Every structure is written in C-alpha cells, then in structure tokens.
Amino acid sequence: MPALFLSLTKDVEGKSGFYQIKPDDVLYLSHEDGRVLFHLKNEEYTALGSLKYFYAALNASGYRYEKVDRNTVVNMDNVVLIDQNRGMLYFDEKISPYSKSCTIALTNYRSIVKQIMAINPSLIIN
C-alpha cells in the first residue's frame, strides 16, 4: 500500500494549518458538530465532513476501519483490549486514566469482537 497521509487541522477554523497524519496512527474517529475528530494516542485533529465519508474513503484505501457506534469508527488494527463489562475498546494493554477508549454499541458487540480477534489474536478481553 502506498504511503497515504490525511491533511488535518488541530482547530475548526484551520488557524493551526495542516498536519500530515498517517491513517495507521489514528485510533478512532468520532463525529461532533459537523466535523470529524481523529483521535491519536496523544493528540486530536479535526476535519470538516461526515464520518460516513472518511469511513468509506479509508476502507477504500486499504485500511480496516469499522463503525462500532452511531458516531464512532475504529481503526481495528489498533484495538488491543476490550472491557466486556463496560462495552469499551482500548488502545493500550493496561488501562490508566490517560488511556484512550471508545464504546461499542450493544448491537455491534459480538461482530466487532470477532473481527478484532481475527486481526489481533493476542487481544486482551477483560
């Protein structure tokens, strides 16, 4: 797969300029107030548009993103831990107050867990 970068900003007005972000580094995307937030391990970036658009474009480019909740799309390659009791996906092996996480809709839970386990056999399920 050729190197692909997303041109994203850190603020809604674009005053921060563009940053080139690798789709592999994105943990998950969420939709809020007509914009898409790209959540990375220690940063967040934004782009105007729809979650549906970025979800389709990233998958058409060879990445494995999956819609896990109404307003959340996850980079399936970056999930390392699932908390079954809380219905949460984590991107760190040990949960801390600084861990990034997102919820899985109950209707999607089994399907999502099965897909993640196929990608990451060392997945931790609490």
Side-chain angles (χ1 to χ4, degrees):
M1 184 169 14
L4 175 72
F5 291 91
L6 301 166
S7 293
L8 307 172
T9 63
K10 286 194 174 196
D11 62 288
V12 180
E13 296 83 24
K15 293 179 182 177
S16 64
F18 283 109
Y19 292 82
Q20 301 302 305
I21 305 302
K22 294 178 186 174
D24 291 324
D25 294 339
V26 176
L27 303 177
Y28 68 99
L29 289 72
S30 62
H31 189 263
E32 183 179 299
D33 299 327
R35 62 192 172 113
V36 177
L37 296 174
F38 292 76
H39 302 267
L40 281 70
K41 197 158 198 87
N42 297 311
E43 299 173 294
E44 288 182 2
Y45 295 89
T46 189
L48 294 177
S50 72
L51 193 60
K52 183 178 180 180
Y53 169 82
F54 283 102
Y55 171 50
L58 286 163
N59 283 324
S61 298
Y63 295 92
R64 291 189 286 210
Y65 280 77
E66 193 60 49
K67 190 170 184 178
V68 296
D69 208 341
R70 180 179 11 198
N71 292 321
T72 308
V73 170
V74 169
N75 182 344
M76 301 292 272
D77 292 320
N78 289 335
V79 176
V80 295
L81 187 145
I82 296 175
D83 184 334
Q84 290 184 58
N85 296 329
R86 296 176 60 209
M88 303 288 288
L89 299 176
Y90 289 90
F91 306 93
D92 295 316
E93 289 182 7
K94 296 197 187 254
I95 300 171
S96 78
Y98 306 104
S99 297
K100 291 265 187 155
S101 64
C102 63
T103 58
I104 311 172
L106 188 57
T107 55
N108 296 338
Y109 184 81
R110 286 185 182 197
S111 169
I112 296 300
V113 170
K114 187 176 179 180
Q115 288 178 55
I116 296 169
M117 288 180 77
I119 293 167
N120 181 3
S122 61
L123 179 71
I124 300 166
I125 300 178
N126 284 346

